[in-house]
Amino acid sequence: DTAVSQTPKYLVTQMGNDKSIKCEQNLGHDTMYWYKQDSKKFLKIMFSYNNKELIINETVPNRFSPKSPDKAHLNLHINSLELGDSAVYFCASSQERAGGHYEQYFGPGTRLTVT
Amino acid sequence: QKEVEQNSGPLSVPEGAIASLNCTYSDRGSQSFFWYRQYSGKSPELIMFIYSNGDKEDGRFTAQLNKASQYVSLLIRDSQPSDSATYLCAAFNDYKLSFGAGTTVTVRA
C-alpha cells in the first residue's frame, strides 16, 4: 500500500547512456513532482505536472524530459547522462486542500550514479 | 539570496531537551510552510505544516510562523535519539516548494 513509489531504487550507468525513472502514486493526487537532491543534500524542484499538464519547468537541461501518461504516473527520461547527473531523484505528489494549500508526499528516491 | 535559509547546524542536544530550528524565507508571496524530517538515506517525511501566523502544536512538535518577519521555526520538545535527522524547512508558492539546505540534529543519549 505504498503511497508514492519509484523504480528503480538504484541506477548505475555509464556516461552517454539514456535512462528512465518511473513514479506512481495511489493517493489520488492531481499534482506530481520531480526533485533532485545533490551530494550536499540540497533538494531542488525540477518539474511539476498537474492533471498531466506541465506547470513547473525549472532551469533543467533539456536532456531531462518528464512524461505524465495519466495523473497517477510521472516518469523522467534522461538522455546522454553526464557525471553531474549523479544524485538522488525524488518523486512527490500533492493535492490541493482548502485555502489553496498543498502537502507534498515523497517517494523513496532513486539513487542515480553515472560512471 | 537563497529563497529559504535555515540556521546552520549541526545542532546537538541532550535527550529530553528542546531542539529549536529556525528558518527564514524571502518570497512574501509564500502561502504555506512545511517541516520535513529526513533520515540518512531516506526520503523527506512531512512532520508539520503551518499557514497562519502563530503556533501550531502536534505532539512534541510546535511550528511557529511570523509572516511579518518572514520567519518559521520548529521546536522539538523532549527530544529523543530517534529525532536525530536532518530537518528541512520549505516554503510553498505557486505550486512550487522551495527548500532550505536543512539542519542536522543529533540527540545525545
Side-chain angles (χ1 to χ4, degrees):
Chain A
D1 60 345
T2 305
V4 183
S5 58
Q6 295 179 228
T7 54
K9 190 166 184 181
Y10 299 97
L11 187 51
V12 181
T13 188
Q14 291 184 329
M15 283 175 54
N17 285 347
D18 303 338
K19 290 293 178 186
S20 292
I21 307 171
K22 295 188 175 183
C23 178
E24 176 180 1
Q25 55 95 3
N26 61 7
L27 297 166
H29 289 172
D30 291 333
T31 309
M32 296 184 72
Y33 311 79
W34 278 113
Y35 286 86
K36 178 180 180 181
Q37 189 168 46
D38 59 25
S39 57
K40 294 183 179 176
K41 307 300 182 188
F42 189 66
L43 197 59
K44 186 158 174 56
I45 190 165
M46 301 172 69
F47 302 103
S48 177
Y49 272 76
N50 179 264
N51 276 321
K52 303 193 297 175
E53 180 182 341
L54 182 65
I55 56 171
I56 295 175
N57 186 351
E58 291 291 284
T59 309
V60 176
N62 58 16
R63 298 182 294 104
F64 290 79
S65 53
K67 279 194 172 54
S68 182
D70 55 62
K71 74 174 192 176
H73 296 85
L74 180 61
N75 304 322
L76 183 65
H77 188 76
I78 316 170
N79 290 326
S80 304
L81 278 153
E82 299 178 357
L83 292 176
D85 297 331
S86 296
V88 180
Y89 292 84
F90 287 103
C91 177
S93 72
S94 71
Q95 182 72 18
E96 184 175 3
R97 306 270 184 217
H101 306 292
Y102 292 75
E103 298 161 34
Q104 292 189 19
Y105 296 91
F106 284 78
T110 295
R111 182 173 294 277
L112 172 64
T113 304
V114 182
T115 61
Chain B
Q1 180 190 7
K2 291 181 182 171
E3 293 183 42
V4 178
E5 302 222 34
Q6 296 185 237
N7 52 327
S8 59
L11 179 65
S12 179
V13 298
E15 186 174 356
I18 295 175
S20 178
L21 305 170
N22 301 318
C23 173
T24 57
Y25 60 95
S26 61
D27 183 358
R28 283 199 173 271
S30 297
Q31 301 153 316
S32 45
F33 306 87
F34 300 83
W35 284 99
Y36 284 83
R37 176 175 62 198
Q38 187 173 25
Y39 293 113
S40 181
K42 300 294 185 183
S43 60
E45 173 194 6
L46 179 63
I47 54 172
M48 289 285 288
F49 66 91
I50 187 167
Y51 45 81
S52 298
N53 276 328
D55 295 358
K56 179 181 178 182
E57 188 174 313
D58 184 358
R60 295 185 296 110
F61 298 99
T62 299
Q64 298 172 316
L65 172 61
N66 184 327
K67 289 186 179 180
S69 301
Q70 295 175 250
Y71 172 85
V72 192
S73 68
L74 179 71
L75 298 177
I76 308 173
R77 290 184 302 281
D78 188 23
S79 294
Q80 302 296 310
S82 59
D83 295 327
S84 298
T86 296
Y87 290 80
L88 303 170
C89 174
F92 181 83
N93 186 23
D94 198 20
Y95 288 108
K96 193 170 92 167
L97 204 57
S98 299
F99 282 87
T103 301
T104 298
V105 174
T106 301
V107 180
R108 309 187 303 272

